[in-house]
Amino acid sequence: MILRDDCRIMDDLDEIASLRDEFRLNEGEIYLDGNSLGPVGEASRRRVTEVIDVEWARGLVRSWNSAGWMAEPTRLGDKLAPLIGARPGEVLVADTLTFLLAKLVGGALELKKDRHVVLTDVANFHSDLYIVEAMAARAGRPVTVKVINRNALDDALDDDVALVMLTHVDFRTGEMLDMAGITKKAHAAGALMLWDFAHSTGAVPLDVTGCDVDFAAGCGYKYLNGGPGAPAFLYVRERWQGVLENPLPGWLGHVRPFDFELRYEPAEGMQAFVTSSPSMIALASLDGALDLFERVTMDQIRAKSLALTDLFIALVEDRLPGVFELVTPREHATRASQVALRHAEGYGVIQALSERGVIGDFRSPDICRFGFTPLYVRFVDVFDAVERLVEVMDSRMYRDARFAVRNPVT
Ligand SMILES: *Cc1c(COP(=O)(O)O)cnc(C)c1O
């Protein structure tokens, strides 16, 4: 039996507890949806205000030079690089995730012109599947996207596979894949490996260098707290720079953008993956959000994340035995920073819980998702969230008729 006081002691012992003060969170509300949209931090507000009031208002067009705006995509890439185990000069912040996947898939297919297959996972995020299909269809040669069950990867890997594209943490179940092992298998078959880190970056330690990953991309607005629609990032391993082409070239990826040349000539390094003007206000918000990660290690985040999810699972199983099916792996090695619970009336559960001040989300057809962001979620929050979940289930409030109609965003 876990008591609220036990949780309070865990908070007292938590060495990163003070980071919560950097966020603006609603009083009395428990936010367990930072895996979908991270909350706003004070540093983001400060940096956005600085860009608007100083760099834009006073500097005006001069700020492209004087405030270093042109270099922001690569500067923020270097700032983010340690979170994924990349080296300086291997990460760029730009666009949003689906666009970056298009760039990486399109470029990768040109590197393996003698191969005709892309392997991906049927449980992948739909946007990833749409964009990989679209890029394959435009490859200039027949390319088939094989949408397989990821457990059948070994059988599907042969010498016609150009690229394996997987999402490292399953957005529904929170299962984390074996990045090192799968990347090694893809390489053994002569294929390139592209990882989507949407639900990994800022949530779990990542080591693209040690795992020999070719390409990766991830979101800025989930665990990184960069703001709604924040710019995303892409990783291109050093060995592919100058080799991998950007299939969506634009003037700011040109080596001499202000020479207005008729022929495209890519810039060196990650700059070649810039297409158009950096979105400075959005980048400023992400810039501020990344400051927090300089005050904490990913190992500290991981340790607290596992403790939070362990606690949530234990409390749900203790207080609501048999009510939900645990979809997220119990094993630490394959669990990321969210817990997914299956319930036939999951949508109503999430809505009712939201009215009780606990924010999670719902993924069709029957998954209740709860994200645990160690930067601001406390152990007492986990305790209180489960107490409120018990109230929702015991009262059958989740069956209320007003939850029968779904909002556009679930
Ligand atoms: C959140 C998410 C996206 C979102 O992509 P955007 O283009 O940034 O809207 C894509 N893929 C996965 C796996 C995600 O979880």
Side-chain angles (χ1 to χ4, degrees):
M1 181 87 174
I2 302 157
L3 304 173
R4 193 170 195 277
D5 277 345
D6 300 329
C7 298
R8 206 176 273 153
I9 292 167
M10 290 166 87
D11 284 320
D12 287 343
L13 296 174
D14 174 16
E15 54 193 24
I16 63 170
S18 67
L19 294 175
R20 177 180 166 87
D21 301 338
E22 302 296 322
F23 290 93
R24 288 197 188 173
L25 297 159
N26 297 319
E27 194 64 40
E29 201 167 82
I30 300 169
Y31 195 62
L32 303 180
D33 210 5
N35 51 328
S36 184
L37 176 67
V40 62
E42 186 51 30
S44 291
R45 195 199 55 73
R46 258 198 319 271
R47 177 74 184 119
V48 168
T49 306
E50 182 186 25
V51 168
I52 292 177
D53 289 352
V54 181
E55 297 180 6
W56 182 14
R58 292 198 220 128
L60 288 165
V61 73
R62 289 164 293 207
S63 283
W64 286 111
N65 289 316
S66 60
W69 283 352
M70 280 300 178
E72 278 301 88
T74 47
R75 185 183 73 83
L76 292 188
D78 287 345
K79 190 168 176 178
L80 196 151
L83 296 183
I84 64 166
R87 294 163 290 201
E90 291 183 322
V91 181
L92 179 82
V93 174
D95 309 316
T96 37
L97 180 51
T98 308
F99 284 98
L100 294 182
L101 292 173
K103 289 179 179 181
L104 291 173
V105 171
L109 287 176
E110 290 299 295
L111 292 180
K112 294 277 177 186
K113 274 197 155 66
D114 55 335
R115 295 183 173 219
H116 306 87
V117 172
V118 178
L119 291 182
T120 190
D121 177 8
V122 68
N124 208 341
F125 195 69
H126 45 338
S127 199
D128 298 39
L129 298 177
Y130 304 155
I131 203 72
V132 71
E133 291 274 6
M135 295 313 285
R138 288 158 181 76
R141 67 180 186 283
V143 173
T144 307
V145 178
K146 291 192 181 163
V147 184
I148 59 166
N149 182 317
R150 62 189 175 231
N151 298 322
L153 194 67
D154 287 357
D155 292 336
L157 265 174
D158 60 26
D159 61 9
D160 205 23
V161 176
L163 177 70
V164 179
M165 171 182 164
L166 293 173
T167 295
H168 177 236
V169 172
D170 186 301
F171 77 100
R172 289 189 191 87
T173 66
E175 183 192 349
M176 179 165 68
L177 309 192
D178 170 14
M179 181 156 68
I182 293 173
T183 304
K184 204 168 177 184
K185 282 181 191 168
H187 286 167
L192 295 163
M193 187 73 222
L194 163 55
W195 287 102
D196 181 330
F197 287 154
H199 290 274
S200 316
T201 326
V204 294
L206 295 164
D207 182 11
V208 288
T209 305
C211 293
D212 199 22
V213 172
D214 298 298
F215 316 116
C219 264
Y221 54 79
K222 290 173 181 162
Y223 291 95
L224 293 182
N225 315 308
F233 69 88
L234 88 168
Y235 163 80
V236 176
R237 197 180 182 84
E238 197 175 32
R239 99 166 56 98
W240 296 118
Q241 298 197 18
V243 183
L244 185 77
E245 284 183 16
N246 179 358
L248 300 172
W251 69 305
L252 289 181
H254 195 285
V255 64
R256 292 172 298 271
F258 282 86
D259 283 4
F260 301 96
E261 292 172 21
L262 292 182
R263 271 180 64 86
Y264 182 74
E265 190 183 325
E268 283 201 4
M270 294 307 289
Q271 188 67 33
F273 294 94
V274 176
T275 299
S276 42
S277 303
S279 187
M280 272 313 301
I281 295 168
L283 286 168
S285 177
L286 179 62
D287 185 11
L290 289 174
D291 285 351
L292 266 197
F293 289 91
E294 294 176 345
R295 291 168 49 188
V296 60
T297 66
M298 284 310 302
D299 287 340
Q300 286 175 306
I301 287 181
R302 178 63 171 162
K304 184 173 172 188
S305 157
L306 286 172
L308 289 167
T309 51
D310 275 344
L311 175 65
F312 184 74
I313 292 169
L315 285 166
V316 169
E317 292 186 336
D318 181 43
R319 303 298 313 276
L320 292 162
V323 175
F324 294 97
E325 178 196 338
L326 178 68
V327 180
T328 300
R330 227 173 260 282
E331 304 73 42
H332 285 180
T334 50
R335 188 198 312 161
S337 206
Q338 76 176 51
V339 176
L341 303 176
R342 179 171 284 136
H343 191 282
E345 289 166 274
Y347 182 73
V349 171
I350 288 296
Q351 293 303 310
L353 204 49
S354 170
E355 288 190 3
R356 293 279 173 119
V358 179
I359 316 296
D361 66 19
F362 172 75
R363 289 295 174 261
S364 195
D366 55 8
I367 302 266
C368 302
R369 287 197 318 179
F370 300 95
F372 296 86
T373 305
L375 297 179
Y376 52 84
V377 175
R378 298 169 300 197
F379 293 96
V380 284
D381 294 330
V382 176
F383 187 90
D384 294 344
V386 175
E387 287 300 295
R388 294 185 207 178
L389 182 60
V390 170
E391 287 165 24
V392 162
M393 303 316 291
D394 285 355
S395 66
R396 309 215 162 230
M397 180 182 168
Y398 61 90
R399 291 202 163 151
D400 201 292
R402 65 191 188 287
F403 304 137
V405 184
R406 285 190 193 175
N407 286 323
V409 176
T410 62

